[in-house]
Amino acid sequence: MLELRNVSYQTDDGKEILRNVSLQIDDRFVAVTGPNGSGKSTLAKLIAGIYTPRAGQILLDGEDITGLSITERAKRGVSFAFQQPVRFKGITVKDLISIASGKKISVSEACAYLSEVGLCAKNYINREMDGSLSGGELKRIEIAMINARGTKLSVFDEPEAGIDLWSFNNLIQVFRSMYERTRGTILIISHQERILDIADKIIVISGGEIAAYGSKNDILPELLNVQAGCRFTKEVKA
């Protein structure tokens, strides 16, 4: 279980991004949504260890991981997929998937992970993770890597960004199969209704605070009724 206790975060110039966020997350699929600039990606990076909170605690299965680095959290079973994936010049796609899985895997195993995210494996398995790959291709390869890792907590920051419609529909099935293999929690930052619709719980963040947190059946209808351009406020109840 992931737990956040009164977590706050400010930038170096004093801008407050998140304020007293407290959550307990132990469901299969949890989606985080809210207006642009509300603190969603910051929350994901705090959980992954990219940022360190200015106040509060983050616990994983009862262990305080607040001060642990992204590498140390990865060793404890936390995976993070960036909104803009990182390029690794000189490393092939197969090598990266093998590194992610923590073991030497066969070409057929690596190809299976690529096929799941809608990539023709024979065209990508020996490609380098460099500027020759588009943002959408990098995104799908990164999702394949997270799938290969199979950790207890997988965090995705807008996984649908740059992905075509066919791959997006396939992505939903990737998340389902990932859960069946790991039985861990998948936390997804997203605005997409189709992703919100598979969530067990939905967290709505607005103005750096939790505006709503509850089951999909309680939260999603309210979200869909909000007019374009309106913001969630703390009057929305979980």
Side-chain angles (χ1 to χ4, degrees), residues 57-58 83 106-107 129 139 153 225 229:
Q57 291 179 292
I58 302 174
Q83 187 174 351
S106 67
V107 171
M129 294 287 293
K139 175 72 76 171
L153 174 62
N225 285 334

Side-chain angles (χ1 to χ4, degrees), residues 162-237:
I163 290 181
D164 59 80
L165 181 60
W166 184 89
S167 295
F168 180 83
N169 290 334
N170 201 46
L171 182 60
I172 303 299
Q173 183 54 44
V174 171
F175 289 140
R176 290 194 172 108
S177 64
M178 187 184 301
Y179 172 76
E180 291 302 321
R181 287 195 310 106
T182 66
R183 295 291 165 173
T185 294
I186 299 173
L187 182 69
I188 308 174
I189 313 296
S190 182
H191 295 286
Q192 287 286 337
E193 181 183 343
R194 281 171 292 180
I195 287 182
L196 299 180
D197 194 50
I198 69 168
D200 299 306
K201 295 284 182 64
I202 296 176
I203 300 166
V204 183
I205 297 181
S206 179
E209 298 181 277
I210 303 299
Y213 181 29
S215 71
K216 173 187 70 178
N217 292 336
D218 290 335
I219 302 298
L220 189 55
E222 186 69 34
L223 276 173
L224 297 178
N225 285 334
V226 174
Q227 296 296 318
C230 292
R231 296 179 59 190
F232 259 78
T233 67
K234 298 207 73 174
E235 283 73 38
V236 180
K237 303 298 183 181

